[in-house]
Amino acid sequence: MVVLTTGGTIASSPDDSGRNRSGALQGDVLMSRVSLPEGAAIDVEVRSLLQKPSNAITRDDLMRLRRECQALAESPDVAGIVITHGTDTLEETAYFLDITLSASPTIVLTGSQRAPHEPGTDAFRNIADAVMVAASDEARGLGTLVVFNQSIFSARQVRKVSSFQVNGFAAPEAGPLGYVDGARVCVAMHPARPEALGLPADATLPRVDILPAYLDASPTLLEAAVAGGAAGLVIDGLGRGHVPPDWLDAMPRITAQGIPVAIVSSCPSGPVHTSYEFLGSLASLEATGVIAVPDLSARKARLALSVLLASANGEVAAPLRTLTA
């Protein structure tokens, strides 16, 4: 078992002001305080890969993590991989690894809402649970997982749902796959998991920007993003996939440049759908070349689009439409 640490609240220590200094603890210091359940004979190797809060994780960091996991997967001695991570972007890293790596060995991400020095910290319980899941036969073949607050989630479905409570993650539509109770790992559901997307090991993930649609939002933001270097756009749309009517003027100019534009729903539940016909509806957007992505959040659709743009064949629209949460 290999534990890769990347920083975050789970690796924080207090500074002189009493605030948390994110990512300050090295991996070996963090793991020295973790107690596995009695009878759990699991050899754990710890590697400190990054020391930063997760708001500072970059696309290059994602590729580095992927290469590390790929190298570990080639070793027959590695039964599973645990990655400790800040919670702000944990769901994005988990999703990226899930869509670009095979299902073996099991990769589990975890973090904490309370720092190791804070009363009632969830740091060490979450790490112990993640190790148990990564080592378990029950989790094999499920893809990248997130373990938090004794619950097991698929990376494709999980979202951060609280900024501070220990039940910080959930899968709002699908629910958890199972749970961890000490030494017992229970998996009740197996997620649908399409094959991993192809991505060259030396690829550079292009920049894809997320643009939220809201009441009277300016369309100038769209063209500003493209002018600033975005290789693709994801619109976090209203309801069933709608935008203000004057966004329609900018769309053909952007898609005509070969820049893919995808749209998802900003609603926590429910897909985009061509249920309406008016200026700014999903039907009118699709007529300009916008790609409807039914079942992904904007943050996940952005990563999927970036991976597809970086892949060898460069096909975007068809595989993006078929990706599901």
Side-chain angles (χ1 to χ4, degrees):
M1 177 67 55
V2 177
V3 175
L4 305 175
T5 63
T6 66
T9 297
I10 198 167
S12 292
S13 63
D15 64 13
D16 293 339
S17 70
R19 296 186 179 91
N20 292 327
R21 193 155 51 92
S22 181
L25 298 179
Q26 291 284 330
D28 55 350
V29 175
L30 185 63
M31 286 302 301
S32 69
R33 298 176 62 185
V34 175
S35 297
L36 296 179
E38 186 176 350
I42 302 172
D43 292 328
V44 177
E45 176 189 342
V46 186
R47 302 181 186 179
S48 293
L49 210 61
L50 302 170
Q51 299 292 142
K52 58 170 67 174
S54 70
N55 72 298
I57 297 287
T58 66
R59 301 190 304 278
D60 288 342
D61 291 332
L62 293 183
M63 290 300 294
R64 180 183 176 190
L65 267 172
R66 180 175 181 264
R67 288 191 296 270
E68 189 78 16
C69 290
Q70 283 180 312
L72 290 171
E74 294 173 0
S75 171
D77 299 327
V78 176
I81 302 168
V82 170
I83 301 172
T84 63
H85 198 286
T87 59
D88 284 353
T89 60
L90 186 151
E91 69 191 79
E92 293 169 74
T93 297
Y95 180 72
F96 169 77
L97 295 175
D98 193 51
I99 63 174
T100 63
L101 293 174
S102 67
S104 181
T106 304
I107 300 173
V108 178
L109 279 79
T110 194
S112 71
Q113 296 283 70
R114 298 172 184 168
H117 59 275
E118 292 181 323
T121 181
D122 53 335
F124 309 118
R125 177 75 274 150
N126 284 348
I127 295 174
D129 288 346
V131 169
M132 295 305 297
V133 171
S136 71
D137 291 335
E138 288 79 1
R140 296 195 195 286
L142 300 184
T144 302
L145 304 171
V146 171
V147 170
F148 218 92
N149 195 36
Q150 298 177 283
S151 295
I152 305 168
F153 301 101
S154 165
R156 302 202 181 208
Q157 300 159 347
V158 74
R159 299 180 76 167
K160 185 173 180 178
V161 295
S162 175
S163 65
F164 76 104
Q165 292 173 314
V166 293
N167 57 336
F169 286 82
E173 295 206 77
L177 302 181
Y179 61 85
V180 191
D181 184 11
R184 182 168 182 250
V185 175
C186 177
V187 175
M189 294 191 296
H190 286 234
R193 190 174 186 276
E195 288 187 15
L197 300 176
L199 183 64
D202 59 350
T204 298
L205 294 173
R207 183 182 129 202
V208 174
D209 287 351
I210 297 172
L211 294 166
Y214 48 90
L215 188 150
D216 205 24
S218 172
T220 59
L221 296 175
L222 297 164
E223 293 183 288
V226 173
L233 302 178
V234 172
I235 300 170
D236 205 10
L238 302 166
R240 288 292 237 172
H242 308 145
V243 299
D246 54 358
W247 283 34
L248 264 277
D249 295 334
M251 289 303 174
R253 293 194 294 270
I254 294 171
T255 56
Q257 298 176 54
I259 295 171
V261 180
I263 186 164
V264 302
S265 176
S266 60
C267 297
S269 176
V272 295
H273 190 269
T274 53
S275 304
Y276 301 90
E277 182 58 74
F278 50 73
L279 282 179
S281 69
L282 180 59
S284 65
L285 290 169
E286 286 189 318
T288 68
V290 173
I291 306 162
V293 183
D295 295 313
L296 294 180
S297 68
R299 288 162 69 173
K300 291 176 179 176
R302 172 210 173 216
L303 289 167
L305 180 53
S306 183
V307 168
L308 290 167
L309 286 168
S311 66
N313 59 30
E315 175 63 28
V316 170
L320 194 57
R321 289 189 186 101
T322 60
L323 284 172
T324 57

